[in-house]
Amino acid sequence: KKLTAEYFVLLLFSAEPWPENATLYQQLKGEQILLSDNAASLAVQAFLQMCNLPIKVVCRANAEYMSPSGKVPFIHVGNQVVSELGPIVQFVKAKGHSLSDGLDEVQKAEMKAYMELVNNMLLTAELYLQWCDEATVGEITHARYGSPYPWPLNHILAYQKQWEVKRKMKAIGWGKKTLDQVLEDVDQCCQALSQRLGTQPYFFNKQPTELDALVFGHLYTILTTQLTNDELSEKVKNYSNLLAFCRRIEQHYFEDRGKGRLS
Amino acid sequence: MAAPLELSCWGGGWGLPSVHSESLVVMAYAKFSGAPLKVNVIDNTWRGSRGDVPILTTEDNIVSQPAKILNFLRKQKYNADYELSAKQGADTLAYIALLEEKLLPAVLHTFWVESDNYFTVTKPWFASQIPFPLSLILPGRMSRGALNRILLTRGQPPLYHLREVEAQIYRDAKECLNLLSNRLGTSQFFFGNTPSTLDAYVFGFLAPLYKVRFPKIQLQEHLKQLSNLCRFCDDILSSYFRISLGDG
């Protein structure tokens, strides 16, 4: 493995064990956080639970701005701050915890590919629904995103964010997609995940990996978030093994650990 | 299907039927699935060529974007994937996502953003394919589109610094190439003995990187070390494109 500067830094700090007061920051649960951010946060929480690493969830209205990369969630461990699932998985690995060490090279490639599929299709679809579907933007997103701020800041920030997301959608070729096409993409993605999961408990059979955490984060959030209609969650509900998968993880890694039901 | 299928796309060079990844994906898939395509190489001011190429035209349809074109061909019964299992079909989607997220930014950078490459190779080639004065405008627009895409998908807010992003995207691309090489192993194609959609995508993304002669070649060098991927590209070129190489 190439020893880049970041890896050296990680090595230096990894000597410290996981502290009891490790914290995860996200936006306010009830009034502010959006579908895509909630999914990302849940994925990280699930991952840490699967690694048996304790984490406390703290909600802050300005979590997005506190984050070093501008993306949520981020974790504060010791004196290190790391954001997003990918870097967090690397960070946790440097501290000696990994869920995917037992996989062979081909399986690791598959795992990475499926994680990209979730990012490429599910996450992008969530962002599209949140920021490019006028009905959702008007009824839900705009108000939630701007809720912590006074007028006119709430409108300005929401419009700015919407503009940023629309730019990105256009750059990756989603600018001209209709909602129906996006929902079809979601269905295609769910079908692929369902086929890959098959009758196994987790994607790589008996033990969950970061892929399971990521899929859980997105699917669970889609299933439990109230949107303008049920079209998105209906797409997931078509696949019974995915529903069972979510229930299994919720039960094993959240309820049984005394964390209570998730939403 | 009786209706003739016409594909308009960018032309070839350096031994390739097309130097444009997306065009190449469609051409390869058509060969694999036996779809009879009439290939119209761009040589005039094509109306939809603002990054919309490749475009498939039939009597009553116009389809753009490789994914949609391949879907359309499949509906017309030109299906290169019918022997795949459900899991292999799912794997195909996942690996394509991997290619688009991890490899494409660096390929775009190598062709369109790296100045030595862009000004000495890419821009002159594309400009030579289209008439003046579009030749002054379109390559620049494609280059800006590529840079935009890279920064918007990989740049970190609030400052979009290309320098930091560059190192990361090349690292990701090299890792992606390694993963592909591991996955391919010693097989002829990614799923057994017949080529499928995934093979078309991998070929489309890799072949231009492999064959086009660039001054700045770090990604190319890395690819050339993965001999099974090079062999994969060469095999497809010699088996499926030998006849049209003469016209390409």
Side-chain angles (χ1 to χ4, degrees):
Chain A
K1 188 172 177 157
K2 258 215 194 131
L3 288 179
T4 61
E6 305 152 356
Y7 191 61
F8 260 127
V9 170
L10 274 181
L11 269 182
L12 283 175
F13 282 106
S14 66
E16 301 160 12
W18 190 268
E20 281 302 311
N21 62 350
T23 335
L24 177 145
Y25 289 88
Q26 63 170 47
Q27 296 101 326
L28 304 176
K29 215 168 179 331
E31 330 82 74
Q32 184 194 18
I33 197 168
L34 296 175
L35 177 59
S36 55
D37 290 332
N38 207 2
S41 175
L42 196 54
V44 171
Q45 290 177 53
F47 174 71
L48 292 173
Q49 287 289 87
M50 290 167 180
C51 293
N52 240 326
L53 295 172
I55 193 94
K56 196 165 70 109
V57 177
V58 170
C59 297
R60 287 283 153 80
N62 59 343
E64 216 180 344
Y65 300 99
M66 286 166 75
S67 163
S69 72
K71 303 236 172 77
V72 288
F74 66 92
I75 59 174
H76 185 198
V77 177
N79 52 4
Q80 288 252 277
V81 179
V82 190
S83 63
E84 296 181 82
L85 183 64
I88 291 175
V89 169
Q90 293 293 87
F91 176 74
V92 163
K93 187 171 176 168
K95 283 201 178 287
H97 305 270
S98 168
L99 297 178
S100 52
D101 271 348
L103 302 181
D104 65 39
E105 288 305 317
V106 172
Q107 286 174 316
K108 281 192 186 154
E110 260 187 40
M111 183 185 78
K112 296 212 167 128
Y114 275 92
M115 288 177 81
E116 289 310 328
L117 180 65
V118 173
N119 285 331
N120 201 328
M121 282 199 167
L122 274 188
L123 175 60
T124 314
E126 287 163 9
L127 286 173
Y128 179 94
L129 192 61
Q130 275 166 201
W131 292 106
C132 304
D133 173 53
E134 291 307 323
T136 313
V137 170
E139 284 177 40
I140 301 176
T141 316
H142 214 95
R144 284 184 77 90
Y145 190 77
S147 64
Y149 308 106
W151 185 90
L153 197 57
N154 56 349
H155 285 306
I156 296 174
L157 289 177
Y159 278 121
Q160 183 182 51
K161 181 79 181 187
Q162 186 180 21
W163 180 76
E164 265 174 41
V165 173
K166 281 190 165 167
R167 257 178 89 202
K168 179 171 170 184
M169 291 290 150
K170 195 156 161 242
I172 58 175
W174 281 55
K176 300 219 184 82
K177 284 202 181 187
T178 63
L179 182 59
D180 282 334
Q181 285 169 337
V182 170
L183 288 172
E184 222 184 274
D185 283 345
V186 170
D187 185 55
Q188 219 186 9
C189 181
C190 289
Q191 188 183 42
L193 290 173
S194 175
Q195 282 165 349
R196 177 64 183 77
L197 182 65
T199 51
Q200 300 173 131
Y202 302 109
F203 280 92
F204 291 97
N205 205 10
K206 298 260 175 30
Q207 297 297 331
T209 59
E210 45 265 40
L211 172 60
D212 300 272
L214 182 64
V215 173
F216 171 74
H218 282 276
L219 294 187
Y220 188 89
T221 312
I222 289 175
L223 288 168
T224 55
T225 304
Q226 190 78 332
L227 293 172
T228 54
N229 57 36
D230 288 331
E231 285 178 310
L232 189 60
S233 58
E234 286 302 317
K235 291 294 175 197
V236 179
K237 286 185 186 158
N238 281 332
Y239 301 97
S240 56
N241 64 345
L242 293 183
L243 292 178
F245 170 80
C246 288
R247 188 72 194 107
R248 186 178 305 123
I249 293 189
E250 187 191 11
Q251 217 165 11
H252 278 157
Y253 292 101
F254 290 91
E255 281 174 19
D256 291 353
R257 303 275 178 92
K259 286 229 155 198
R261 296 219 63 169
L262 276 171
S263 51
Chain B
M1 284 261 74
L5 300 165
E6 290 192 22
L7 180 75
S8 74
C9 58
W10 292 106
W14 293 279
L16 297 171
S18 173
V19 307
H20 183 230
S21 279
E22 298 189 334
S23 305
L24 208 50
V25 168
V26 176
M27 288 166 96
Y29 184 84
K31 291 278 182 191
F32 297 162
S33 61
L37 276 193
K38 182 162 170 295
V39 175
N40 294 329
V41 163
I42 290 181
D43 59 2
N44 54 24
T45 56
W46 193 257
R47 223 180 2 185
S49 68
R50 280 179 230 97
D52 275 2
V53 166
I55 297 180
L56 184 73
T57 344
T58 64
E59 256 171 27
D60 20 53
N61 279 305
I62 298 180
V63 192
S64 67
Q65 295 187 342
K68 289 194 196 146
I69 296 178
L70 263 55
N71 259 343
F72 181 82
L73 289 175
R74 268 184 222 112
K75 292 208 178 93
Q76 305 293 317
K77 308 283 190 246
Y78 297 113
N79 187 2
D81 292 349
Y82 70 89
E83 279 182 7
L84 295 187
S85 69
K87 181 182 175 302
Q88 288 173 326
D91 284 355
T92 300
L93 270 188
Y95 275 101
I96 292 175
L98 187 70
L99 285 175
E100 285 181 353
E101 291 289 309
K102 297 286 179 185
L103 185 59
L104 181 61
V107 171
L108 285 178
H109 188 274
T110 304
F111 272 74
W112 294 100
V113 181
E114 174 60 64
S115 3
D116 282 350
N117 294 348
Y118 173 64
F119 287 108
T120 57
V121 178
T122 317
K123 185 172 175 183
W125 189 89
F126 277 87
S128 71
Q129 304 289 302
I130 45 186
F132 183 88
L134 203 62
S135 54
L136 294 181
I137 308 171
L138 193 57
R141 196 184 291 171
M142 291 171 80
S143 168
R144 275 191 297 281
L147 180 59
N148 213 21
R149 183 175 176 145
I150 293 173
L151 289 180
L152 283 178
T153 53
R154 308 307 290 279
Q156 311 277 28
L159 300 166
Y160 299 93
H161 277 306
L162 184 59
R163 196 104 318 228
E164 297 150 13
V165 175
E166 269 171 12
Q168 181 65 42
I169 61 179
Y170 277 100
R171 231 180 317 188
D172 284 345
K174 288 176 186 167
E175 197 199 328
C176 182
L177 290 175
N178 293 343
L179 291 178
L180 287 174
S181 180
N182 278 339
R183 176 65 184 72
L184 180 64
T186 51
S187 313
Q188 200 187 1
F189 299 110
F190 279 89
F191 297 116
N193 293 325
T194 46
S196 60
T197 302
L198 181 57
D199 301 283
Y201 269 88
V202 175
F203 174 72
F205 279 65
L206 291 188
L209 195 60
Y210 175 36
K211 293 286 187 186
V212 178
R213 295 268 159 273
F214 285 119
K216 284 275 170 61
I217 49 175
Q218 57 157 319
L219 198 54
Q220 206 172 49
E221 285 295 309
H222 190 91
L223 174 58
K224 288 190 174 156
Q225 288 170 10
L226 300 167
S227 54
N228 62 346
L229 292 180
C230 298
R231 187 253 311 149
F232 171 80
C233 292
D234 285 327
D235 277 352
I236 292 183
L237 277 173
S238 59
S239 315
Y240 291 92
F241 290 103
R242 192 188 292 133
I243 299 169
S244 50
L245 269 183
D247 321 315

